[in-house]
Amino acid sequence: RAKNHGRNRFNHYNRSMNTVSSDTLALESDLRHALERRELYLAYQPQFIAASGLLSGFEALIRWRHPKHGELGPDKFIPLAEEIGMIDEIGLWVLRTACTQTVKWRQQGLHNITMAVNASLQQFNSPIEFGDLVASALNETGLAGDRLEIEITESLFMQDIEDTCRKLQRISDLGVKIALDDFGTGFSSLSYLRHVPFDVLKIDRSFVNDIGKGIGGSELVRTIINMAHNLGKSCIAEGVENLLQEQFLRENGCDFLQGFLRGRPVPAEQIEITFADLFSPPHRAGGYNPN
Ligand code: C2E
Ligand code: MG
Ligand code: MG
Ligand code: MG
């Protein structure tokens, strides 16, 4: 690459030449073509109503089928996409793809489902306002705003809180729900909960993992559920891996459940096979048996 080009680029992304390995450079150049080469796809993980076990919706989780390295998870390439200025493009693709899939599945019988999409701090800090991307994805696909949920993390509250709230309110005004992902793992204070417009509190899987273990593990989860409800929000637990956790969460009023126990993130075709009962009319109640 040309010297000047390289220097400008690295300055721009605040990255020094000598910390970047050739592997990263290769991956970076691959990522620039991943969308057009259709190597990115969304895996969908089901979410369930805790009380009934019925399917409530999905979380869309991005994957990269890399021609050489096989399947790569978001942790392997989302930070890179942010660094090289591709996150807006990828973020819009994720929104469009997830919304299109939701419209299709709703037409095919999953009328009441919601779709959760993750957004990173960088996506909220981009000059292209994330709310505009959400609005255009809804417009293009015809998905009703209240069928979409945007998952954000507490990292957003470590910066200009008024600006963050304004951006979230703009999304909320579209009817879209806001979920606080990985709740309890950030370093922000609880006071922001009173000011930030959000609808759903998502209990981090590290807390779910502590259910039934040691002193206070279960009590902490119970307290988070009660706090969400006292604030007028609903709550979902992520990372539910066993029956003990599921039963505890259900008995303590957690509204929704997500985790490997009831469903891993899989491609859309796999969802259509797993939940075939729900897709094929006449409609039958499906999900899992909560007892
Ligand atoms: P997240 O939003 O907290 O997503 C949950 C992660 O936990 C997913 O990892 C999922 O596969 C995993 N998981 C789900 N159930 C269980 C379980 O029962 N046990 C365990 N151990 N893990 C479980 P994944 O797909 O690797 O995603 C990692 C993170 O990448 C996500 O965390 C999210 O923050 C981010 N991410 C995913 N898709 C996107 C995207 O489209 N855009 C952006 N900006 N970030 C994304
Ligand atoms: Mg998430
Ligand atoms: Mg999470
Ligand atoms: Mg996480």
Side-chain angles (χ1 to χ4, degrees), residues 75-118:
D75 298 338
K76 294 276 189 311
F77 66 91
I78 289 292
L80 186 60
E82 289 167 343
E83 218 173 313
I84 66 175
M86 279 195 69
I87 193 63
D88 290 332
E89 193 184 341
I90 290 177
L92 181 57
W93 176 84
V94 170
L95 282 166
R96 278 184 182 140
T97 306
C99 290
T100 302
Q101 190 60 256
T102 313
V103 168
K104 182 172 167 239
W105 281 344
R106 290 191 75 202
Q107 285 168 350
Q108 293 176 349
L110 305 186
H111 305 293
N112 297 320
I113 55 165
T114 57
M115 182 63 70
V117 169
N118 294 279

Side-chain angles (χ1 to χ4, degrees), residues 138-267:
L138 291 174
N139 264 320
E140 285 172 25
T141 61
L143 183 68
D146 67 352
R147 297 291 105 199
L148 183 65
E149 199 167 285
I150 299 298
E151 297 195 357
I152 57 164
T153 62
E154 290 169 77
S155 58
L156 258 72
F157 311 127
M158 305 295 283
Q159 50 181 23
D160 186 344
I161 192 78
E162 277 177 35
D163 186 54
T164 297
C165 287
R166 183 190 59 75
K167 287 173 176 166
L168 292 177
Q169 191 58 53
R170 158 130 173 63
I171 294 169
S172 198
D173 288 344
L174 299 166
V176 174
K177 296 194 187 70
I178 310 283
L180 297 188
D181 204 353
D182 304 340
F183 178 77
T185 59
F187 292 95
S188 56
S189 79
L190 283 178
S191 64
Y192 75 82
L193 289 178
R194 292 172 47 225
H195 309 293
V196 173
F198 76 99
D199 306 280
V200 184
L201 199 155
K202 193 160 189 181
I203 307 171
D204 189 70
R205 71 164 181 264
S206 61
F207 298 115
V208 173
N209 192 255
D210 284 345
I211 291 172
K213 286 186 198 164
I215 303 162
S218 306
E219 283 66 28
L220 190 53
V221 170
R222 203 191 333 257
T223 303
I224 297 173
I225 295 169
N226 290 337
M227 185 182 70
H229 290 161
N230 289 339
L231 290 168
K233 320 292 184 185
S234 60
C235 77
I236 178 166
E238 67 174 12
V240 182
E241 294 182 349
N242 61 51
L243 287 166
L244 181 125
Q245 294 163 352
E246 181 179 273
Q247 191 181 347
F248 178 88
L249 290 159
R250 195 167 56 232
E251 283 172 357
N252 285 279
C254 185
D255 303 288
F256 303 98
L257 306 174
Q258 178 182 351
F260 291 170
L261 176 66
R262 298 300 178 183
R264 291 180 175 259
V266 290

Side-chain angles (χ1 to χ4, degrees), residues 117-133:
V117 169
N118 294 279
S120 66
L121 176 66
Q122 282 74 9
Q123 289 175 273
F124 270 83
N125 288 341
S126 165
I128 302 176
E129 186 151 337
F130 188 69
D132 289 341
L133 300 188

